[in-house]
Amino acid sequence: MSADRRLAPGSRIGILGGGQLGRMLALDAARLGYACHIFCPEPDAPAALVSAANTVAAYDDEAVLAAFAAAVDVVTYEFENVPAATAAFLAERLPVRPGPKVLSICQNRGREKSFLNGLGIETAPFAVICTRDDLKEALTTIGMPSVLKTMELGYDGKGQRMLNTPDEALAAFDALVGDSGKKLILEGLIDFAFEASVLVARNPEGAVACYPLVENRHANHILKETHVPAPASPQTAVSGEEIARRIAEGLALEGLIGVELFVTQEGRVLVNEMAPRPHNSGHWTQDAAVTSQFEQCVRAVCNLPLGSTVALGPAVMTNLLGDEAHDWLAILSDPKAKLHLYGKAEARAGRKMGHVNRLLD
Ligand code: AMP
């Protein structure tokens, strides 16, 4: 590895987005001697509360973005819905990792699936929908049950509807986009045995490190628990990890991504989507892996050697949603629990307030 392309401890990492992922990234970066500078539109963001510097401005404010670019050595994200133009503006001035091309693939479900299929990686069958007629035609090939989703900006089940009947399909079209001209994607419903994910990091020198396959359990479309390792055969685990590795290489990734997967009863592994940043299903790595996903992200974007991804043993990560975070006292009394809270003042229903990692016997 060429030492001159490394960003040594003491360097400044710019982070676009101010949520809990940025907060945990900044904490791990600080432990390695880096200083993080958060750029986000919201004041008092969870990440800003623990970072060396903070800029509160709109993502399209070019004067402020230029000053941010001058104040840091590399830029990464903790949130993928940063405007593509923001990433492109910064990338003209300093390294942005992952690069704007990776961001643009991950921001759009159609581009993402086409990219994956181009690598020979299986996804749900899909069709791009612009009009009600496109939807009627796509239903003749993809059929029902299926899922209609907004092409961009959906998360935690927002911006998507299950379709079981033609009437539901047209109502879902109207509810999701109406006559706004925005695009949708129709996906065939995958009859999965369980949902899973793999985190993978690649540094600019081309080193790749993949974490073990884990199982994700959702409630109301929001991640509730991650189980480590996934209850999968060794072949399935290897094929999930191989897929993540091929994606990292296919993207020429510089950074860390989370790859969400469907595993079928027969052990087939399909990709649902990718996130170009640390992922909620990787929080277990903070207490149950040699290298946390946040440290690994810092290592990847600073072009350092990647850390070991070995799990220390079986573990469960449980998200604390809304009021569940009020149980902090009981959690702190559990000798197996490691509590992580995000410093958010208002515990709205379903809001991610923190999580707990437990190493199992
Ligand atoms: P997404 O926003 O694409 O991650 O979807 C949220 C959740 O909806 C996933 O975690 C799955 O539980 C479910 N889901 C989304 N797309 C599909 C699909 N094509 N087949 C089966 N389940 C899906």
Side-chain angles (χ1 to χ4, degrees):
M1 181 180 287
S2 64
D4 56 346
R5 292 184 61 216
R6 276 185 205 140
L7 286 173
S11 304
R12 297 152 309 168
I13 303 173
I15 302 177
L16 298 173
Q20 63 268 16
L21 300 174
R23 177 184 176 96
M24 293 182 274
L25 191 56
L27 290 170
D28 269 16
R31 189 170 43 77
L32 290 179
Y34 294 85
C36 288
H37 184 150
I38 306 299
F39 188 113
C40 71
E42 305 84 20
D44 301 323
L49 299 175
V50 302
S51 292
N54 175 26
T55 297
V56 180
Y59 288 121
D60 60 359
D61 187 332
E62 292 195 347
V64 184
L65 278 176
F68 173 67
V72 297
D73 301 301
V74 63
V75 170
T76 189
Y77 341 82
E78 66 95 50
F79 163 70
E80 67 270 35
N81 290 320
V82 169
T86 303
F89 179 88
L90 292 168
E92 283 169 12
R93 289 161 176 77
L94 80 171
V96 174
R97 295 174 178 156
K101 187 162 158 262
V102 174
L103 184 71
S104 106
I105 292 173
C106 296
Q107 281 177 338
N108 179 287
R109 294 182 191 274
R111 277 199 290 273
E112 187 172 55
K113 286 191 170 51
S114 302
F115 165 78
L116 292 164
N117 294 166
L119 290 180
I121 294 170
E122 195 181 355
T123 62
F126 72 99
V128 175
I129 309 292
C130 300
T131 64
R132 292 176 182 82
D133 285 342
D134 290 347
L135 178 57
K136 282 184 202 152
E137 186 176 334
L139 285 170
T140 64
T141 51
I142 291 177
M144 285 182 276
S146 44
V147 194
L148 190 63
K149 302 180 180 177
T150 53
M151 190 66 94
E152 298 186 347
L153 298 175
Y155 69 99
D156 287 347
K158 293 190 175 64
Q160 62 175 270
R161 300 287 162 101
M162 271 282 293
L163 308 184
N164 291 294
T165 67
D167 284 351
E168 260 177 25
L170 290 180
F173 182 97
D174 288 338
L176 290 172
V177 285
D179 294 312
S180 68
K182 289 199 185 125
K183 287 187 184 168
L184 296 173
I185 187 167
L186 180 70
E187 294 182 16
L189 193 75
I190 305 301
D191 183 18
F192 54 77
F194 64 90
E195 292 188 73
S197 58
V198 172
L199 293 159
V200 61
R202 181 179 175 279
N203 71 14
E205 301 289 330
V208 175
C210 200
Y211 285 86
L213 185 83
V214 297
E215 179 193 357
N216 297 319
R217 299 185 190 165
H218 298 83
N220 302 320
H221 292 284
I222 301 176
L223 181 66
K224 188 62 202 150
E225 288 179 354
T226 296
H227 290 250
V228 186
S233 68
Q235 296 93 303
T236 301
V238 167
S239 74
E241 290 156 28
E242 270 306 310
I243 286 172
R245 197 173 278 276
R246 274 161 61 205
I247 293 173
E249 276 160 3
L251 290 171
L253 176 70
E254 296 180 340
L256 174 127
I257 59 171
V259 182
E260 295 179 20
L261 304 162
F262 298 130
V263 180
T264 67
Q265 217 58 261
E266 318 82 63
R268 252 168 61 231
V269 181
L270 291 78
V271 176
N272 176 25
E273 60 179 358
M274 314 183 282
R277 50 163 173 79
H279 192 265
N280 192 169
S281 70
H283 291 355
W284 65 272
T285 59
Q286 292 175 304
D287 300 302
V290 174
T291 311
S292 86
Q293 64 164 344
F294 301 103
E295 175 176 339
Q296 193 76 307
C297 182
V298 170
R299 288 174 179 243
V301 303
C302 293
N303 198 18
L304 309 180
L306 298 178
S308 164
T309 54
V310 168
L312 303 175
V316 178
M317 186 285 307
T318 307
N319 267 342
L320 299 174
L321 304 174
D323 286 350
E324 289 165 359
H326 295 154
D327 294 339
W328 55 268
L329 194 54
I331 297 166
L332 287 174
S333 309
D334 173 353
K336 287 202 180 307
K338 290 287 282 188
L339 176 66
H340 300 257
L341 292 175
Y342 308 150
K344 296 181 183 177
E346 203 192 333
R348 288 194 299 274
R351 191 175 194 206
K352 290 176 181 169
M353 302 297 293
H355 65 273
V356 187
N357 286 328
R358 288 187 178 86
L359 263 166
L360 307 179
D361 291 329

